[in-house]
Tab-separated table of all heavy atoms in Angstrom:
chain	number	residue	atom	x	y	z
R	301	LEU	N	-16.134	2.244	8.339
R	301	LEU	CA	-15.367	2.950	7.280
R	301	LEU	C	-13.858	2.837	7.462
R	301	LEU	O	-13.122	2.768	6.482
R	301	LEU	CB	-15.807	4.435	7.257
R	301	LEU	CG	-16.582	4.891	6.021
R	301	LEU	CD1	-16.607	6.395	6.012
R	301	LEU	CD2	-15.878	4.354	4.737
R	302	SER	N	-13.421	2.894	8.732
R	302	SER	CA	-11.960	2.938	8.930
R	302	SER	C	-11.353	1.520	8.920
R	302	SER	O	-10.142	1.390	8.866
R	302	SER	CB	-11.700	3.641	10.242
R	302	SER	OG	-12.223	2.877	11.298
R	303	ARG	N	-12.186	0.485	8.907
R	303	ARG	CA	-11.564	-0.836	8.930
R	303	ARG	C	-11.951	-1.561	7.652
R	303	ARG	O	-11.096	-2.217	7.007
R	303	ARG	CB	-12.091	-1.676	10.097
R	303	ARG	CG	-11.427	-1.304	11.434
R	303	ARG	CD	-12.069	-2.059	12.618
R	303	ARG	NE	-12.478	-3.395	12.253
R	303	ARG	CZ	-13.708	-3.874	12.269
R	303	ARG	NH1	-14.682	-3.092	12.741
R	303	ARG	NH2	-13.995	-5.094	11.901
R	304	ASP	N	-13.201	-1.495	7.271
R	304	ASP	CA	-13.664	-2.247	6.086
R	304	ASP	C	-13.354	-1.451	4.786
R	304	ASP	O	-13.493	-0.253	4.789
R	304	ASP	CB	-15.140	-2.519	6.161
R	304	ASP	CG	-15.499	-3.333	7.423
R	304	ASP	OD1	-14.716	-4.167	7.754
R	304	ASP	OD2	-16.543	-3.021	8.015
R	305	LEU	N	-13.016	-2.193	3.738
R	305	LEU	CA	-12.807	-1.529	2.447
R	305	LEU	C	-14.127	-1.456	1.665
R	305	LEU	O	-14.246	-0.646	0.791
R	305	LEU	CB	-11.740	-2.298	1.619
R	305	LEU	CG	-10.294	-2.151	2.033
R	305	LEU	CD1	-9.413	-3.244	1.413
R	305	LEU	CD2	-9.839	-0.781	1.696
R	306	PHE	N	-15.019	-2.298	2.011
R	306	PHE	CA	-16.268	-2.430	1.231
R	306	PHE	C	-16.982	-1.120	0.976
R	306	PHE	O	-17.313	-0.824	-0.200
R	306	PHE	CB	-17.169	-3.423	1.955
R	306	PHE	CG	-18.541	-3.517	1.332
R	306	PHE	CD1	-18.731	-4.285	0.155
R	306	PHE	CD2	-19.631	-2.884	1.882
R	306	PHE	CE1	-19.960	-4.372	-0.420
R	306	PHE	CE2	-20.890	-2.956	1.277
R	306	PHE	CZ	-21.069	-3.673	0.128
R	307	PRO	N	-17.250	-0.276	1.965
R	307	PRO	CA	-17.960	0.948	1.698
R	307	PRO	C	-17.273	1.879	0.710
R	307	PRO	O	-17.871	2.315	-0.280
R	307	PRO	CB	-18.090	1.618	3.098
R	307	PRO	CG	-17.933	0.485	4.061
R	307	PRO	CD	-16.958	-0.453	3.420
R	308	ALA	N	-15.994	2.136	0.899
R	308	ALA	CA	-15.288	3.068	0.046
R	308	ALA	C	-15.162	2.490	-1.385
R	308	ALA	O	-15.329	3.237	-2.354
R	308	ALA	CB	-13.908	3.354	0.625
R	309	VAL	N	-14.832	1.180	-1.470
R	309	VAL	CA	-14.680	0.622	-2.777
R	309	VAL	C	-16.017	0.584	-3.554
R	309	VAL	O	-16.081	0.931	-4.718
R	309	VAL	CB	-14.121	-0.824	-2.719
R	309	VAL	CG1	-14.189	-1.512	-4.054
R	309	VAL	CG2	-12.726	-0.823	-2.131
R	310	THR	N	-17.087	0.288	-2.830
R	310	THR	CA	-18.395	0.284	-3.484
R	310	THR	C	-18.793	1.687	-3.926
R	310	THR	O	-19.297	1.856	-5.023
R	310	THR	CB	-19.448	-0.340	-2.529
R	310	THR	OG1	-19.054	-1.600	-2.105
R	310	THR	CG2	-20.802	-0.388	-3.246
R	311	ALA	N	-18.500	2.620	-3.081
R	311	ALA	CA	-18.836	4.035	-3.457
R	311	ALA	C	-18.085	4.429	-4.694
R	311	ALA	O	-18.644	5.020	-5.623
R	311	ALA	CB	-18.484	4.958	-2.333
R	312	ALA	N	-16.778	4.102	-4.771
R	312	ALA	CA	-16.056	4.392	-5.977
R	312	ALA	C	-16.566	3.678	-7.217
R	312	ALA	O	-16.650	4.259	-8.300
R	312	ALA	CB	-14.566	4.048	-5.731
R	313	ALA	N	-16.996	2.443	-6.990
R	313	ALA	CA	-17.532	1.670	-8.096
R	313	ALA	C	-18.833	2.306	-8.577
R	313	ALA	O	-19.108	2.372	-9.815
R	313	ALA	CB	-17.729	0.237	-7.672
R	314	VAL	N	-19.654	2.723	-7.658
R	314	VAL	CA	-20.912	3.355	-8.029
R	314	VAL	C	-20.669	4.637	-8.798
R	314	VAL	O	-21.323	4.892	-9.829
R	314	VAL	CB	-21.780	3.613	-6.768
R	314	VAL	CG1	-22.930	4.553	-7.093
R	314	VAL	CG2	-22.282	2.324	-6.154
R	315	ALA	N	-19.752	5.428	-8.275
R	315	ALA	CA	-19.442	6.674	-8.983
R	315	ALA	C	-18.931	6.385	-10.360
R	315	ALA	O	-19.326	7.049	-11.349
R	315	ALA	CB	-18.363	7.471	-8.189
R	316	GLY	N	-18.120	5.341	-10.537
R	316	GLY	CA	-17.652	4.990	-11.814
R	316	GLY	C	-18.753	4.529	-12.737
R	316	GLY	O	-18.779	4.842	-13.902
R	317	ALA	N	-19.672	3.758	-12.185
R	317	ALA	CA	-20.798	3.269	-12.949
R	317	ALA	C	-21.684	4.390	-13.472
R	317	ALA	O	-22.131	4.395	-14.624
R	317	ALA	CB	-21.620	2.260	-12.117
R	318	ILE	N	-21.919	5.370	-12.611
R	318	ILE	CA	-22.662	6.573	-13.054
R	318	ILE	C	-21.963	7.243	-14.216
R	318	ILE	O	-22.625	7.641	-15.183
R	318	ILE	CB	-22.853	7.526	-11.870
R	318	ILE	CG1	-23.694	6.886	-10.739
R	318	ILE	CG2	-23.486	8.834	-12.350
R	318	ILE	CD1	-23.795	7.703	-9.477
R	319	ARG	N	-20.659	7.331	-14.124
R	319	ARG	CA	-19.905	8.011	-15.150
R	319	ARG	C	-19.969	7.286	-16.454
R	319	ARG	O	-20.256	7.852	-17.540
R	319	ARG	CB	-18.428	8.107	-14.705
R	319	ARG	CG	-17.567	9.097	-15.400
R	319	ARG	CD	-16.370	9.440	-14.563
R	319	ARG	NE	-15.752	8.361	-13.829
R	319	ARG	CZ	-14.971	7.450	-14.368
R	319	ARG	NH1	-14.695	7.434	-15.644
R	319	ARG	NH2	-14.493	6.465	-13.576
R	320	VAL	N	-19.837	5.960	-16.358
R	320	VAL	CA	-19.900	5.141	-17.577
R	320	VAL	C	-21.301	5.197	-18.188
R	320	VAL	O	-21.512	5.313	-19.397
R	320	VAL	CB	-19.523	3.683	-17.275
R	320	VAL	CG1	-19.794	2.796	-18.508
R	320	VAL	CG2	-18.034	3.609	-16.916
R	321	ALA	N	-22.287	5.193	-17.308
R	321	ALA	CA	-23.710	5.280	-17.779
R	321	ALA	C	-23.926	6.549	-18.501
R	321	ALA	O	-24.569	6.607	-19.583
R	321	ALA	CB	-24.639	5.132	-16.609
Side-chain angles (χ1 to χ4, degrees):
Chain R
L301 247 190
S302 64
R303 284 175 36 239
D304 302 323
L305 285 168
F306 173 78
V309 172
T310 304
V314 167
I318 295 173
R319 197 159 39 78
V320 171

